[in-house]
Amino acid sequence: MTATTAPTANRTADDLTVSLIEAYRERGDRRAVEQILSMNVKILNHIVRRYASSSEESYEDLLQVGYVGMMKAVNGYRLDSEAKFSSYAYAMIEGEIKHHLRDAALVKRPRWARSLHVGVAVLTLWFEGRLDSSCQRVYRGLC
């Protein structure tokens, strides 16, 4: 066994999550993955509910993204890690949802980024000569 698949001495041999991850990695046992998912569904639902309530994305879409994060956690979890799988999975699920929301542009850009975008647009119009003189005076402070 390699360092990423061997459990440490701190873990008991019958640690269910570690055993299920090993079964999935070594034998491709789909039932093991289904059991891991069902054991951690509360974490998944908690994170998805939190982000669904504050975004325009539907709960079902975020749930699918959360399952992708959970699978990344199953595949990336180091069995010799001192961290509990649920802690690692929480971070992976939340990260995957944040990436999705950021990439889908549903997260509000910071004020400084919005003003920078406006400034660039105004300067582009000014350089192209499509900004009249009254507007140039207003936006002169952006240069």
Side-chain angles (χ1 to χ4, degrees), residues 84-124:
K84 292 177 16 180
F85 175 76
S86 59
S87 301
Y88 182 75
Y90 190 99
M92 293 296 289
I93 294 165
E94 187 173 43
E96 194 67 27
I97 290 174
K98 284 181 178 181
H99 282 241
H100 172 75
L101 293 174
R102 184 194 64 227
D103 293 346
L106 295 174
V107 175
K108 290 176 85 173
R109 289 180 293 169
R111 189 175 303 133
W112 65 267
R114 289 192 308 258
S115 63
L116 180 64
H117 177 73
V118 169
V120 169
V122 167
L123 288 174
T124 302

Side-chain angles (χ1 to χ4, degrees), residues 18-30:
V18 172
S19 305
L20 292 169
I21 292 173
E22 285 177 333
Y24 171 69
R25 290 182 183 170
E26 292 173 3
R27 299 185 301 274
D29 188 355
R30 295 186 77 179

Side-chain angles (χ1 to χ4, degrees), residues 1-136:
M1 294 188 142
T2 64
T4 58
T5 59
T8 63
N10 295 350
R11 296 197 184 270
T12 61
D14 48 12
D15 182 359
L16 184 58
T17 304
V18 172
S19 305
L20 292 169
I21 292 173
E22 285 177 333
Y24 171 69
R25 290 182 183 170
E26 292 173 3
R27 299 185 301 274
D29 188 355
R30 295 186 77 179
R31 287 189 204 135
V33 172
E34 290 172 6
Q35 193 169 357
I36 293 169
L37 294 176
S38 68
M39 289 168 53
N40 293 284
V41 74
K42 286 183 181 181
I43 294 170
L44 181 63
N45 286 327
H46 169 75
I47 298 168
V48 170
R49 263 194 313 273
R50 195 173 87 210
Y51 283 96
S53 66
S54 64
S55 73
E56 297 173 9
E57 197 78 17
S58 73
Y59 178 85
E60 291 79 17
D61 290 344
L62 290 179
L63 189 62
Q64 291 299 316
V65 174
Y67 276 118
V68 170
M70 180 71 79
M71 286 307 300
K72 286 184 177 182
V74 169
N75 290 323
Y77 181 68
R78 291 180 48 128
L79 299 178
D80 61 348
S81 172
E82 295 294 321
K84 292 177 16 180
F85 175 76
S86 59
S87 301
Y88 182 75
Y90 190 99
M92 293 296 289
I93 294 165
E94 187 173 43
E96 194 67 27
I97 290 174
K98 284 181 178 181
H99 282 241
H100 172 75
L101 293 174
R102 184 194 64 227
D103 293 346
L106 295 174
V107 175
K108 290 176 85 173
R109 289 180 293 169
R111 189 175 303 133
W112 65 267
R114 289 192 308 258
S115 63
L116 180 64
H117 177 73
V118 169
V120 169
V122 167
L123 288 174
T124 302
L125 291 173
W126 184 72
F127 283 124
E128 292 173 351
R130 296 191 294 159
L131 197 63
D132 67 10
S133 61
S134 63
C135 292
Q136 287 179 4

